[in-house]
Amino acid sequence: MRKAASRLPQTPVAFVLAIVQAYERRGMDPGAALRKAGLAPEGVLDPGERVAIAPFEAFTADAMSELDDEALGWFSRRLPWGSYGMLLRASLTAPGLELAVRRWCRHHGLLTEDVRIELRLEEEVGVIRIREFVDLGVLREFCLVSLLRNVHGIACWLADSRIAPIVARFPFPAPAHAEAYGRMFGGEIAFDAPETELRFDASYLRLPVVRDDASLSGLLRNPIPLMARRYRQDRLLSQRINGFIVASTDPLANAEEVAGHLGISLRSLQRHLRDEGTSFLDLQSEARRLRAEELLRRGDLPLKRVARLAGYSDESSFGRAFRRWTGQSPGEFRRNASARADSPPPGGTGEAGGGTAALR
């Protein structure tokens, strides 16, 4: 079987085979669901490879429906279709994320006694921990990974915020596909731990629940990506921070002030930005550049005033920074911007040409 293109989200074939085992436990044939998802037959699947996430999600959804088990064979009793939606609906009315997650974990215990999911606070760290009360057998890894991703994805969705893990720990040896865990969770990954747990900055738990019945109905039409993918990878914190700094009246807003505005801790802000390959200083520099260019295009402010508004104490340090950004001095940039503004549009020769074009 050919490996999926590396630029696409992927999942280990071992997880596909875990679902195949759930079929076999029920005495059912997974062949039709595998073919429908575009996956190779069971005997051809190589546990050491990976598959694209979309066919895995399709296979997972069909398996949950055919087996009528959203737990995919993990527990001693089935969790009929709609079980996790019921838990999520019960959490929607919580005003804040901490209560919503606690409620979800408590209600999960009504579905099965095989495991218990708990939320604990340890100083400034939130800990989601899974305790096992039965032998989960050959599906243990898939069960624990899926449960942890599920509750993490639900927490992110309820607050509509990417929650950056500090560490995800698992009570089994590192599998052959251990590298996939970093893509699934982010943060540090540890194996051979006493119990399964996810640790994150507790400040996330102070976020409000922003979802309602309408958004839940939309989610339940396609819930699998919430478990299978990291939440809202398109919603980069760096973009939000950059927009805030640019719009701020204080060009010297520091990281602590921005983190407070976004409702997260400074440590979480720094971790998010590190994951996105940038830093607060880089974003602050970019925001200053954008502000300086906007002020210079106006053409009516002295350069000393532009320097101060861009967050620099003197004109010379501003000039050096601006040349590093653009390869031009502030004065050269202003003259070039003014010349472009005075130039007639392409295809026109001044007011007459523009007027003629407007009347066509």
Side-chain angles (χ1 to χ4, degrees):
M1 184 180 64
R2 275 172 50 187
K3 293 184 181 180
S6 60
R7 67 180 181 276
L8 299 175
Q10 298 174 330
T11 197
V13 169
F15 294 163
V16 177
L17 293 174
I19 300 176
V20 168
Q21 289 178 308
Y23 272 91
E24 293 174 347
R25 282 186 168 187
R26 294 282 304 279
M28 298 173 63
D29 182 4
L34 286 168
R35 287 192 298 272
K36 183 179 177 182
L39 294 170
E42 174 189 353
V44 180
L45 289 168
D46 182 347
E49 293 191 340
R50 293 173 289 177
V51 296
I53 194 69
F56 172 74
E57 291 173 349
F59 181 49
T60 300
D62 280 348
M64 287 182 176
S65 178
E66 291 183 355
L67 300 174
D68 193 20
D69 185 5
E70 291 188 336
L72 293 170
W74 306 329
F75 305 131
S76 53
R77 54 159 292 185
R78 291 184 299 109
L79 270 56
W81 188 260
S83 296
Y84 282 114
M86 178 181 65
L87 296 192
L88 195 47
R89 190 174 299 279
S91 298
L92 270 188
T93 56
L97 188 59
E98 180 178 353
L99 178 58
V101 174
R102 289 189 185 279
R103 191 177 288 176
W104 190 93
C105 293
R106 184 173 66 252
H107 290 161
H108 194 276
L110 302 177
L111 300 180
T112 178
E113 295 181 346
D114 293 358
V115 299
R116 181 182 301 157
I117 308 175
E118 304 170 336
L119 171 64
R120 295 188 177 277
L121 295 180
E122 298 181 4
E123 296 182 352
E124 293 302 313
V125 176
V127 183
I128 296 172
R129 183 171 294 132
I130 303 174
R131 301 179 62 193
E132 303 168 57
F133 294 94
V134 299
D135 182 358
L136 297 173
V138 295
L139 296 182
R140 185 186 187 213
E141 180 199 356
F142 186 46
C143 170
L144 297 176
V145 170
S146 299
L147 282 176
L148 205 59
R149 284 177 63 83
N150 197 354
V151 66
H152 179 225
I154 284 167
C156 293
W157 181 82
L158 285 167
D160 194 19
S161 172
R162 289 180 63 189
I163 297 175
I166 299 172
V167 60
R169 294 173 176 158
F170 300 93
F172 44 76
H177 47 270
E179 85 289 342
Y181 279 65
R183 297 192 303 273
M184 289 189 288
F185 291 95
E188 179 187 347
I189 304 296
F191 297 98
D192 291 315
E195 290 181 301
T196 303
E197 65 177 30
L198 185 75
R199 290 176 171 262
F200 55 94
D201 194 301
S203 63
Y204 286 111
L205 295 172
R206 295 192 287 271
L207 293 174
V209 171
V210 298
R211 301 298 187 173
D212 55 20
D213 283 334
S215 53
L216 177 60
S217 297
L219 172 69
L220 294 180
R221 284 193 288 271
N222 185 25
I224 305 301
L226 194 64
M227 180 182 72
R229 305 186 187 213
R230 289 170 68 177
Y231 184 77
R232 295 292 294 269
Q233 296 190 65
D234 59 314
R235 189 171 196 154
L236 296 180
L237 185 68
S238 56
Q239 296 173 358
R240 298 169 61 195
I241 292 175
N242 201 48
F244 172 75
I245 299 176
V246 170
S248 174
T249 57
D250 180 9
L252 297 176
N254 59 39
E256 290 89 345
E257 292 167 343
V258 174
H261 170 79
L262 297 174
I264 61 176
S265 71
L266 174 61
R267 185 169 55 185
S268 293
L269 180 144
Q270 292 169 334
R271 186 180 303 112
H272 268 304
L273 295 181
R274 189 163 56 247
D275 288 345
E276 295 174 18
T278 187
S279 69
F280 183 81
L281 289 178
D282 289 341
L283 295 178
Q284 191 176 58
S285 178
E286 173 68 7
R288 287 178 173 179
R289 180 186 68 80
L290 293 173
R291 174 173 295 205
E293 289 180 358
E294 178 186 357
L295 293 170
L296 289 169
R297 288 190 187 98
R298 286 171 45 180
D300 58 350
L301 292 176
L303 292 182
K304 288 184 179 180
R305 175 67 172 162
V306 173
R308 286 196 298 272
L309 291 174
Y312 289 86
S313 58
D314 60 81
E315 187 177 342
S316 60
S317 59
F318 168 62
R320 289 193 296 271
F322 196 85
R323 187 175 287 278
R324 285 197 305 271
W325 295 333
T326 66
Q328 306 175 67
S329 71
E332 290 170 336
F333 181 90
R334 171 176 279 174
R335 287 191 294 274
N336 291 335
S338 177
R340 286 193 296 269
D342 292 339
S343 298
T349 55
E351 293 183 6
T356 304
L359 292 173
R360 289 176 186 165

